[in-house]
Every structure is written in C-alpha cells, then in structure tokens.
Amino acid sequence: MKIRLESSVNHQIATLAVLLKRQVFRVIAKNDLDITPDQWVILYFLWQKDGLSVGELAAKAKKDFANVTRIVSKLEVLGYVARTQSEKDSRVSHIYLQPKADQIKDKVQQCMVESTDIAMKGISQAEQERLLTILDRIECNILENETAVK
Amino acid sequence: MKIRLESSVNHQIATLAVLLKRQVFRVIAKNDLDITPDQWVILYFLWQKDGLSVGELAAKAKKDFANVTRIVSKLEVLGYVARTQSEKDSRVSHIYLQPKADQIKDKVQQCMVESTDIAMKGISQAEQERLLTILDRIECNILENETAVK
DNA sequence: TGCGTATATTTGTCATGACAAATAAAAAGA
DNA sequence: TCTTTTTATTTGTCATGACAAATATACGCA
C-alpha cells in the first residue's frame, strides 16, 4: 500500500463525520429530545422558511430527495410537521411546522451549541473560519465534479 | 434561529462527508469494483496487517464492532476475506485476506488516488496538512468527550 | 473447582445514505 | 388535443451507523 489512509483528508473527514454524528446523538439523548441529527437539519431549514417543498429541503440540506421524503414522514408521524399538497402544482407538497416543533426549538439550539462547543474546544474563531473556507473549496470541487459527470 | 448551520463547522463536516462518500461510490462504480467505501477501509487495514480480529479492525477503523462484523461478513461472502477462529481464545476470530483481494488491490489504490485528486484539486499540500492537523484536534476533542462521559 | 464478571463477537431494530424504478402531474411539441 | 418529455415525489433494496441485547468464552477470586 503506497497510500496512507490516515493522512488522506478524504478519509479523515469521513471518519470525523461519523464521530461527530455519534457525539451529536449523545447530546440529543442527554437533552431528552426524540429527534435525530438529520431530522434537526430539516427542521432547521423549515425554521428559516416554513412551507418549503420536499425538493427545496433536499436542495438546501444537500440530501437525496428519497431520504428527505422519509425524514419528513418521520417528522410527520412525530407531529412536528405536516404535509400539504400544493394547489398550483399537485406534484409538490409543502411542509409546514406544527406547534410541537416550536416547543423543542430552544432545546435544539442548545444542543447545537453544546455539540459545537465540544468539537471546537481550543480552536480559535479564526481557525474555524479558515477551516470552513477549505471545506467549502472541497465541497465545490466535488459538486463541480458531479455536474461534470452528468 | 440564532445559529447558522451553514457556518457551523460540525454541520459542514457532516455534509461534506456525505458528498465525499457519494463521490467515492461513483469512482468505485466507474472502476467496476464490487465493494463499498467502508469495505475498502477494512481491506486497507488488513493489507497493512493481515489476520486482525474484528475488534482490532473496529478500533483501527473507528467503527462499531457490530458494523465491522457485518462488513466482514459481506467481504467473506464476496470471497475477499475468510474468518478463522483463534486457537488461543475462541471468542476471537481472525480475518485473513484471500487471493481475490490481491486482484483488486491496485484498482482500489487507484480509486483512492482518483477520489483524493478530485476532492483536493487546487488545495496545496501545505494546506492539506494544516487541515489534517485541525481535523485531528477536533477528533481528539470528541474522543476525549466520549471517554469523559463514560 | 465453581461462580460472578469481563470481554469478543453477533444479532436485532431503527434511521439514513445511495441508487433505481415507479407514480403522478405538468410542460412541451406535433 | 394527444403524445412525449420533464419534473416532483415516493417506494424498494441494500449498506452502514447507533445502540441494546444476546452468546460464548475467558478470567479472577473465594
């Protein structure tokens, strides 16, 4: 093996993402929330703009449509959101936040802060920004490649 | 929402990891390999040291034991590895690479290089190293927190 | 030696990811 | 208007992640 996985940025990001997600799960559990990290993300975008469609949510969250459908279905069963078929275009369903979602909003924010604090301990704001910049560039590289392949 | 998910390092890493994995999947498919990114990782560590146990693999790959069991089972079905029960401790099984694994080794390496090249386009070696350093620190933060909770 | 505890692995269940295929409805074109 | 193509969403299948529980075996101590 000429390649060292341990010094491959790709692999380190993949591994770290798993660890981060696991950690977030624990923070959520500790705060007695009954949602998952990926359900958060969907709620987050709905808090930004209520009534988004499945497709819009998928685009914002950079998730697969199919998976967003399922996440929304879970949130619906849990009573956090409701689907409404669009009148203009009946293929589209708009997702609306329900009162139950408001009740957990603060707690969700607190979990986000808590998770970030754990992960970013001892890493300065400036470093975080530099990190974000590089991550963005990697993301662009991949997105470009995806569209290029198409 | 006071928090911006888009400027949260946690979230960016999580999102990027998903994109990276998707991209790796595509590179694998293009190279006609019948294994998955996570199966690669297990093979990689076996190429480093053949005969590791499930537990050792889990530790190295930072994966859940249960999941490693399943990944190894798939690799076994595919004919890339074989399980052998340890003589010293019959709870332990050692995983050994099979000839079929050798046949794909070069191709796997090529895929790794290809994926890295796509992701790291325009990012200097020095920047990659800085990035790795920060990622390591985040990883340490999380691992420390995990053990602290225990 | 025998029992209780610790350790290695496996199995079960659910959530999510990828991707393909199925549906349904809108839009475009002849 | 009818047909074809495009678009939005859903469903199906498999791989993997988390976590709990089940198994099997080893180890330590009375």
Side-chain angles (χ1 to χ4, degrees):
Chain A
M1 266 290 154
K2 292 160 220 150
I3 294 140
R4 286 198 9 132
L5 216 49
E6 297 79 0
S7 54
S8 147
V9 175
N10 283 32
H11 179 250
Q12 285 306 101
I13 291 177
T15 307
L16 183 51
V18 172
L19 293 179
L20 277 170
K21 200 166 191 174
R22 192 184 303 163
Q23 191 247 313
V24 170
F25 258 116
R26 289 189 182 156
V27 171
I28 293 177
K30 194 166 68 64
N31 283 276
D32 292 313
L33 284 173
D34 60 348
I35 60 170
T36 66
D38 296 287
Q39 290 167 16
W40 281 21
V41 174
I42 297 303
L43 288 180
Y44 172 83
F45 287 111
L46 289 173
W47 277 317
Q48 299 264 302
K49 187 166 191 291
D50 200 14
L52 289 170
S53 68
V54 173
E56 288 167 331
L57 280 169
K60 280 180 187 287
K62 300 194 186 87
K63 289 179 188 293
D64 189 292
F65 276 45
N67 297 327
V68 172
T69 292
R70 275 179 280 246
I71 294 174
V72 167
S73 301
K74 300 241 161 74
L75 286 171
E76 203 176 13
V77 171
L78 291 169
Y80 291 117
V81 304
R83 266 189 183 84
T84 314
Q85 209 175 34
S86 169
E87 292 186 3
K88 286 186 194 160
D89 182 340
S90 48
R91 290 171 306 178
V92 176
S93 35
H94 294 289
I95 318 299
Y96 290 96
L97 289 163
Q98 298 299 297
K100 193 176 165 194
D102 292 335
Q103 292 166 19
I104 61 165
K105 190 171 173 181
D106 287 341
K107 230 173 188 174
V108 168
Q109 291 208 49
Q110 192 193 317
C111 285
M112 285 182 181
V113 171
E114 210 169 305
S115 313
T116 306
D117 285 349
I118 293 171
M120 294 302 137
K121 207 173 84 183
I123 297 175
S124 73
Q125 196 62 39
E127 271 177 311
Q128 291 186 33
E129 313 241 320
R130 263 208 304 282
L131 177 55
L132 275 178
T133 310
I134 302 189
L135 294 179
D136 269 343
R137 280 168 58 198
I138 299 175
E139 190 171 317
C140 287
N141 281 342
I142 295 172
L143 293 176
E144 269 172 35
N145 183 261
E146 280 186 8
T147 51
V149 170
K150 283 176 191 164
Chain B
M1 266 289 155
K2 294 160 220 150
I3 292 141
R4 288 205 14 176
L5 216 49
E6 297 80 359
S7 54
S8 147
V9 175
N10 282 30
H11 180 248
Q12 285 306 100
I13 291 177
T15 307
L16 184 51
V18 172
L19 293 178
L20 276 170
K21 199 164 192 177
R22 193 185 300 164
Q23 190 246 314
V24 170
F25 257 116
R26 289 186 182 159
V27 171
I28 292 177
K30 195 167 68 64
N31 283 274
D32 294 312
L33 283 173
D34 60 350
I35 60 170
T36 67
D38 296 287
Q39 290 166 17
W40 281 24
V41 174
I42 298 302
L43 288 180
Y44 171 83
F45 287 111
L46 290 174
W47 276 317
Q48 299 263 302
K49 187 164 191 292
D50 200 14
L52 289 170
S53 69
V54 172
E56 289 167 330
L57 280 169
K60 280 181 187 288
K62 299 192 187 90
K63 288 179 188 292
D64 188 291
F65 277 45
N67 298 327
V68 172
T69 292
R70 275 179 281 248
I71 294 175
V72 166
S73 301
K74 300 241 162 74
L75 286 171
E76 202 176 13
V77 170
L78 291 169
Y80 291 119
V81 304
R83 268 191 182 83
T84 314
Q85 210 175 33
S86 168
E87 292 186 2
K88 285 186 197 161
D89 183 340
S90 48
R91 289 171 306 179
V92 177
S93 34
H94 295 289
I95 318 299
Y96 290 96
L97 290 162
Q98 299 298 296
K100 194 177 165 194
D102 293 335
Q103 293 166 22
I104 61 165
K105 190 171 173 180
D106 287 343
K107 230 173 188 173
V108 168
Q109 291 209 45
Q110 192 192 316
C111 285
M112 285 182 182
V113 171
E114 211 170 303
S115 312
T116 306
D117 286 350
I118 293 171
M120 295 302 136
K121 207 174 84 182
I123 297 174
S124 72
Q125 195 60 41
E127 271 177 310
Q128 292 186 32
E129 312 239 322
R130 263 208 305 280
L131 177 55
L132 276 178
T133 309
I134 302 189
L135 295 180
D136 269 344
R137 278 168 57 197
I138 299 176
E139 191 172 314
C140 287
N141 282 342
I142 295 172
L143 293 176
E144 270 171 32
N145 183 261
E146 280 187 7
T147 52
V149 170
K150 284 176 194 165

